[in-house]
Amino acid sequence: MAPGDGIQIPSRLPLLLTHEGVLLPGSTVRFSVDSPRNMHLVSQRLLKGTSLRSTIIGVIPNTRDPDHDTDDLPSLHKIGTAGIAVQVVGSNWPKPHYTLLITGLCRFRVSSLLKERPFVLAEVEQLDKMEHYTAPATERATANDGDLGELSYNFYQAAVQLLGMLDMSVPVVAKFRRLLDSLPRETLPDVVASMIRTSNKEKLQLLDALTLEERFKKALPLLSRQIEGLKLLKKTRKSSPNNEKRVLSVRKGGVLPGRQFNRDEEAEDEDGDDTAVLEKKVREAKMPEAAFKVCLKELKRLKKMPQSMPEFALTRNYLDLMVELPWSRSTTDCLDIPAARTVLDNDHYAMDKLKRRVLEYLAVRQLKTSLKGPILCFVGPPGVGKTSVGRSIARTLGREFHRISLGGVCDQSDIRGHRRTYVGSMPGRIINGLKTVAVNNPVFLLDEVDKLGKSLQGDPAAALLEVLDPEQNHSFTDHYLNVAFDLSQVLFIATANTTATIPPALLDRMEVLQVQGYTQEEKVEIAHRHLIPNQLEQHGLTPQQLHLPQDTTRAIISSYTREAGVRSLERKFGAICRAVAVKVAEGHRVIATEAPPAECPAQQTDKAAPPEMPIVIDSVALKDILGLPPFEMEVSERLTLPGVAVGLAWTPLGGEILFVEASRMEGEGQLTLTGQLGDVMKESAHLAISWLRANAKTYQLTNMVGGPDPLEGTDIHLHFPAGAVTKDGPSAGVTIVTCLASLFSGRLVRSDVAMTGEITLRGLVLPVGGIKDKVLAAHRAGVKCVILPQRNKKDLEELPANVRADLDFVPAANLDQVLNAAFDGGFPGTAGAHAQPQLTSKL
Ligand SMILES: Nc1ncnc2c1ncn2[C@@H]1O[C@H](COP(=O)(O)OP(=O)(O)OP(=O)(O)O)[C@@H](O)[C@H]1O
Ligand SMILES: [Mg+2]
């Protein structure tokens, strides 16, 4: 094989009998070998030989090697391809076999068989004279080339055309293009035919074509067919990027199926390509230095890893997340305070204090853009609009909004992510949220922070500490990311129903803004401005189809709902809308109401109304749709016996009125308390009894037989109805005293009075919390007069004006004043018993 001589193949060649696949000169094909003769050829010739010659074998197509060594050899295909085995891989699974990678060199004809066992050896005659392959394909045919020159030039042009239709950015295609120019044109039919989509039969025909002319003639139609096929494909698939990919994948899978040589290289190229794209993205992500370094390190590892390794996918996912994170992408705030005020006012009625504080916050932000927190925390009963105000704030700022619901979260990795060593590890909710909004300055609403749980998996509240601390959160480290992410641009807003269950360290980082429950008047406004229009729209109705007069709204608020917020009110409107939707769908346009109520003047015209008049919901229609009202004004009914008083309680759901009932019977001075009371409340009861016994003479209190000690020969039972609800706190003190005073004196407590306040053994009334919610509850329940501790008088200023106007307030410094106000005409023995008017103030 001297250079210039071309390749001279040995005259004796061992033959590999193949059935599937045809090796053409100039291409590389992978063969799987498992029959006895072929296996022997590999093990005894290829694996034992040491010279280059020993790796040259003859590949005979279209011939099946018999399954047994002893079987006779079938008749061989006469023409074969001599090839170099460039790779031999052995495996024992599922059965012993070798995989050979063979590159074709030239054709040969089998002259005679020399031996059949252990493998076939034959005398062969080389057919292609390789030294003739000289002129590169690009050169124009010369005159003496004649027909052949023309043919080969045409063939070359067609090949160029085919490549022009493929995507040059794919490395394989580009390589093929270069190859095309440097190959001698005699080799083109073989090389091209092995690359384009051809059947084994067609390849076999090409192999059997011994003259060059014949070969070009056979291969050209195949090439043209491929070009036409591609044209058709492009036409049917419009060139969206997605389809571009599909065309490529077709290429990968089929258009160049014979392109088996370099298949490994191709896979590598694809891979390299992918990681190159990733690397480009990493460079473009503008991440901080530390994160960038980590990414480059991971990329390096990724490049070395085989795709099949499970860690490959993990590393890829990690890098994908890293490039997706908004390291330096942010929206510009549109901070316009007057506009913000309008948006807030339009979205939510009332909530003045909250809105004012939010505007202050925004104004400061405008003056100092790099403002470090405070983190606002809205605390209030359910359904008062905490969550939806958070959404409004994002809208006023023109920022992205993301809600992270923390209710029931009890695993700290929910916040901070899992370390990447864990199977199925993920980033935490903060990082996930950032990925979702794709900017680094969104408004994050941490909903329900008071409902964070704790478990063996750690304390999520502790993980939140870092997130919410403006001094620390510029370097928040998620366990999954393991590099710091700057959260200082994120505006955090938290919501909670109560501060009691928020861990103190977390509470300390937030500025608490109380959101009160609404008064009846505010609810009416909210209903007509927001809730009803919303519900109408959700149910596909228009104001022309359904009309809800204000009186109906008032009736719904007072008789069908009892809540601080407006959520169940909204549900009731939903129910009405559904009922009306049925009527509208049935074609009834007007409800003919019996007994048109006076409060609805539109009713007067109803009978003569045209069919497109709205359906008006009056009290009769209301009862039809919502049923009988579940809440009645029960206060006065329940105060018909001595020994009952109305207190005011605060719960996370807002204020509530609370009844205290007492009864006495013959006994030995025992006190029984029922109604699931906490320790503090039980102590209040004991305090109350002690004070009343000590002052029995002053207030003319007697026992059952009229004796001076109320407890003598008497057992007392004190009960707090709604027995299933746990109650605690000192603020029921004054109510217990009033209730017992009523029992011991046999007098009725005023039915329109409710009270709250802690007591001392000396008879002083101490201030309590939640005055605003309590007073609103009293107002909702129709109470007229509220007795409250003197030192809580300042809290009344925060109440809406109409509530203050509706109620009488009695600020009491001691129990004397409480008793005096709680009973009609004062209480015997109190300082103001006969002094009229009473010590009340109308604020
Ligand atoms: N002042 C208001 N003006 C207009 N709509 C309001 C107002 N307050 C509440 N809403 C409406 O009431 C509904 C309930 O509000 P939201 O879900 O924000 O309550 P929340 O305070 O977050 O309650 P929870 O504590 O149960 O999460 C929403 O549809 C909201 O639009
Ligand atoms: Mg909420």
Side-chain angles (χ1 to χ4, degrees):
M1 264 200 296
D5 244 8
I7 299 170
Q8 188 68 51
I9 60 167
S11 58
R12 290 173 168 203
L13 276 184
L15 300 186
L16 188 78
L17 310 185
T18 64
H19 187 65
E20 284 159 1
V22 179
L23 177 71
L24 289 172
S27 68
T28 302
V29 177
R30 200 181 291 270
F31 292 102
S32 187
V33 161
D34 57 6
S35 62
R37 283 188 182 85
N38 287 344
M39 293 283 279
H40 282 136
L41 185 147
V42 175
S43 58
Q44 293 180 17
R45 176 79 177 222
L46 295 183
L47 297 181
K48 291 229 174 92
T50 47
S51 65
L52 180 63
R53 272 179 97 82
S54 64
T55 64
I56 300 184
I57 57 174
V59 181
I60 299 291
N62 202 21
T63 311
R64 188 185 286 283
D65 189 30
D67 283 340
H68 297 284
D69 222 357
T70 47
D71 288 353
D72 281 346
L73 209 60
S75 66
L76 303 183
H77 192 85
K78 285 288 168 247
I79 310 290
T81 312
I84 294 187
V86 289
Q87 192 188 54
V88 179
V89 181
S91 166
N92 268 331
W93 197 86
K95 58 178 184 176
H97 71 276
Y98 291 105
T99 306
L100 307 181
L101 202 62
I102 305 180
T103 301
L105 298 172
C106 63
R107 288 176 177 72
F108 67 83
R109 189 198 311 272
V110 180
S111 313
S112 61
L113 286 186
L114 297 176
K115 59 172 187 173
E116 293 186 11
R117 291 189 191 88
F119 53 86
V120 191
L121 190 70
E123 186 86 34
V124 300
E125 175 196 350
Q126 181 168 353
L127 290 177
D128 298 329
K129 298 281 176 282
M130 293 190 201
E131 62 269 24
H132 290 168
Y133 295 170
T134 44
T138 35
E139 276 173 33
R140 199 68 236 213
T142 51
N144 46 3
D145 278 342
D147 270 1
L148 184 60
E150 196 65 38
L151 254 176
S152 73
Y153 187 73
N154 288 349
F155 191 86
Y156 168 76
Q157 288 296 334
V160 171
Q161 187 188 355
L162 173 71
L163 281 174
M165 296 171 78
L166 297 175
D167 185 355
M168 268 304 159
S169 67
V170 178
V172 185
V173 180
K175 205 181 269 177
F176 186 24
R177 180 76 183 79
R178 280 198 306 278
L179 212 60
L180 194 66
D181 285 348
S182 55
L183 278 180
R185 62 168 180 261
E186 288 84 348
T187 61
L188 279 187
D190 288 340
V191 173
V192 173
S194 63
M195 285 180 173
I196 61 180
R197 188 196 290 264
T198 45
S199 67
N200 272 348
K201 212 168 140 207
E202 287 160 343
K203 277 195 202 126
L204 211 57
Q205 283 174 0
L206 199 70
L207 184 71
D208 291 346
L210 296 182
T211 66
L212 261 184
E213 198 173 333
E214 203 183 334
R215 234 176 270 168
F216 274 120
K217 279 185 181 158
K218 285 238 159 67
L220 193 56
L222 303 180
L223 186 55
S224 313
R225 186 185 67 194
Q226 185 72 57
I227 293 172
E228 291 308 314
L230 261 186
K231 275 187 192 160
L232 206 69
L233 199 71
K234 287 220 164 161
K235 223 183 278 172
T236 47
R237 298 186 182 160
K238 288 183 203 90
S239 61
S240 77
N242 214 359
N243 287 333
E244 199 71 62
K245 257 187 235 153
R246 248 189 283 164
V247 171
L248 286 184
S249 68
V250 167
R251 174 195 61 76
K252 254 202 265 170
V255 178
L256 297 175
R259 200 190 174 324
Q260 281 106 333
F261 74 94
N262 283 344
R263 198 194 266 163
D264 286 0
E265 208 178 309
E266 178 181 338
E268 227 167 61
D269 273 357
E270 291 283 304
D271 237 29
D273 216 37
D274 238 24
T275 36
V277 172
L278 202 58
E279 188 168 346
K280 194 165 146 234
K281 282 193 194 157
V282 167
R283 288 183 196 284
E284 281 168 2
K286 291 194 203 133
M287 47 182 90
E289 195 57 35
F292 184 60
K293 269 190 192 145
V294 171
C295 275
L296 286 188
K297 212 171 104 202
E298 294 290 327
L299 258 174
K300 227 169 161 185
R301 284 185 53 215
L302 191 74
K303 279 181 192 162
K304 284 190 198 140
M305 247 182 250
Q307 268 201 21
S308 50
M309 223 162 129
E311 220 190 318
F312 184 89
L314 293 184
T315 314
R316 251 216 89 116
N317 286 350
Y318 175 75
L319 283 169
D320 277 341
L321 174 71
M322 288 291 270
V323 297
E324 259 179 72
L325 279 181
W327 297 97
S328 53
R329 230 173 305 137
S330 50
T331 49
T332 29
D333 286 357
C334 47
L335 261 181
D336 176 4
I337 298 300
R341 192 192 302 268
T342 322
V343 172
L344 285 180
D345 279 343
N346 284 350
D347 284 359
H348 292 91
Y349 181 76
M351 309 181 114
D352 292 327
K353 198 171 146 207
L354 183 120
K355 286 194 265 190
R356 196 172 349 126
R357 180 64 190 92
V358 168
L359 283 175
E360 278 168 21
Y361 179 84
L362 297 183
V364 176
R365 255 200 117 85
Q366 192 177 20
L367 297 179
K368 189 166 187 298
T369 37
S370 63
L371 174 68
K372 278 195 179 151
I375 280 135
L376 300 178
C377 176
F378 303 153
V379 178
V384 292
K386 300 180 295 296
T387 307
S388 71
V389 125
R391 190 166 278 131
S392 275
I393 291 176
R395 217 152 65 79
T396 52
L397 280 170
R399 287 192 178 198
E400 295 291 330
F401 177 81
H402 185 73
R403 195 173 76 93
I404 299 177
S405 180
L406 295 174
V409 169
C410 59
D411 183 351
Q412 66 136 340
S413 45
D414 243 1
I415 310 286
R416 264 177 174 275
H418 301 265
R419 290 209 181 278
R420 267 205 296 151
T421 41
Y422 292 110
V423 177
S425 56
M426 291 187 299
R429 290 182 186 220
I430 305 281
I431 292 296
N432 245 337
L434 284 166
K435 186 181 132 194
T436 314
V437 297
V439 285
N440 65 6
N441 63 343
V443 173
F444 270 178
L445 187 82
L446 304 172
D447 222 0
E448 325 280 356
V449 271
D450 55 331
K451 295 178 193 68
L452 278 173
K454 233 187 215 181
S455 72
L456 288 177
Q457 277 76 37
D459 183 0
L464 268 186
L465 291 182
E466 187 188 350
V467 176
L468 294 184
D469 191 340
E471 299 298 328
Q472 293 178 29
N473 69 8
H474 56 85
S475 61
F476 168 72
T477 311
D478 186 280
H479 284 157
Y480 182 82
L481 283 196
N482 214 11
V483 286
F485 193 97
D486 182 2
L487 293 180
S488 59
Q489 295 306 309
V490 180
L491 173 56
F492 287 102
I493 297 175
T495 80
N497 287 133
T498 166
T499 50
T501 48
I502 304 179
L506 198 57
L507 193 61
D508 194 46
R509 283 167 171 71
M510 304 190 283
E511 181 179 331
V512 173
L513 285 182
Q514 292 285 350
V515 189
Q516 268 78 45
Y518 297 115
T519 62
Q520 168 136 354
E521 288 313 309
E522 283 169 342
K523 284 186 187 177
V524 171
E525 283 299 322
I526 293 172
H528 284 269
R529 285 172 196 229
H530 301 284
L531 306 182
I532 298 178
N534 275 352
Q535 288 298 322
L536 285 180
E537 198 194 316
Q538 278 183 22
H539 290 83
L541 295 169
T542 60
Q544 282 74 43
Q545 287 164 320
L546 169 64
H547 177 61
L548 272 157
Q550 292 225 348
D551 288 318
T552 309
T553 316
R554 260 190 213 107
I556 299 174
I557 293 168
S558 59
S559 308
Y560 289 89
T561 65
R562 188 147 290 178
E563 54 169 359
V566 290
R567 208 175 262 133
S568 67
L569 180 63
E570 194 170 13
R571 270 200 298 275
K572 297 286 176 217
F573 288 135
I576 292 173
C577 286
R578 283 194 296 277
V580 172
V582 173
K583 290 266 180 243
V584 171
E586 282 175 352
H588 293 259
R589 297 297 172 116
V590 179
I591 288 184
T593 43
E594 315 123 37
E599 73 260 32
C600 180
Q603 220 58 54
Q604 246 43 47
T605 55
D606 245 16
K607 290 210 175 73
E612 58 276 5
M613 277 296 283
I615 294 177
V616 179
I617 305 294
D618 58 10
S619 55
V620 180
L622 196 61
K623 240 182 227 153
D624 272 351
I625 295 171
L626 297 183
L628 287 174
F631 302 107
E632 295 287 352
M633 285 298 166
E634 51 188 351
V635 178
S636 50
E637 286 165 25
R638 291 178 71 162
L639 292 180
T640 49
L641 283 175
V644 185
V646 184
L648 294 171
W650 183 89
T651 72
L653 311 185
E656 263 180 45
I657 58 167
L658 173 85
F659 289 91
V660 182
E661 297 174 350
S663 72
R664 58 180 170 180
M665 54 231 108
E666 266 178 41
E668 288 142 20
Q670 292 264 338
L671 172 66
T672 313
L673 296 167
T674 52
Q676 292 233 41
L677 308 185
D679 287 343
V680 180
M681 207 148 177
K682 282 181 190 158
E683 284 169 10
S684 288
H686 285 289
L687 266 179
I689 290 205
S690 299
W691 183 80
L692 284 169
R693 281 176 84 180
N695 294 284
K697 224 180 236 157
T698 326
Y699 296 111
Q700 300 161 24
L701 305 176
T702 54
N703 59 16
M704 286 175 79
V705 290
D709 182 357
L711 275 194
E712 196 187 336
T714 311
D715 274 355
I716 295 184
H717 188 153
L718 210 53
H719 178 63
F720 293 74
V725 184
T726 318
K727 308 168 196 73
D728 202 6
S731 70
V734 291
T735 323
I736 301 173
V737 169
T738 311
C739 164
L740 289 176
S742 155
L743 182 72
F744 297 149
S745 65
R747 297 186 58 192
L748 286 180
V749 180
R750 269 175 63 178
S751 63
D752 56 353
V753 172
M755 60 200 80
T756 184
E758 180 178 350
I759 53 169
T760 70
L761 207 48
R762 297 264 147 228
L764 297 179
V765 177
L766 300 185
V768 291
I771 287 291
K772 218 174 314 160
D773 281 323
K774 288 176 177 175
V775 173
L776 289 179
H779 187 244
R780 276 201 296 277
V783 167
K784 289 279 170 300
C785 172
V786 175
I787 305 173
L788 73 168
Q790 173 101 47
R791 278 158 63 187
N792 279 121
K793 205 173 149 185
K794 59 181 187 318
D795 296 325
L796 296 177
E797 276 160 36
E798 291 177 21
L799 285 169
N802 69 314
V803 173
R804 280 190 289 178
D806 284 355
L807 293 175
D808 286 342
F809 296 97
V810 183
N814 53 45
L815 283 172
D816 203 58
Q817 291 166 349
V818 173
L819 291 181
N820 196 29
F823 293 89
D824 265 330
F827 202 73
T830 59
H834 305 292
Q836 295 290 338
Q838 277 184 18
L839 180 69
T840 58
S841 75
K842 193 146 189 159
L843 291 165

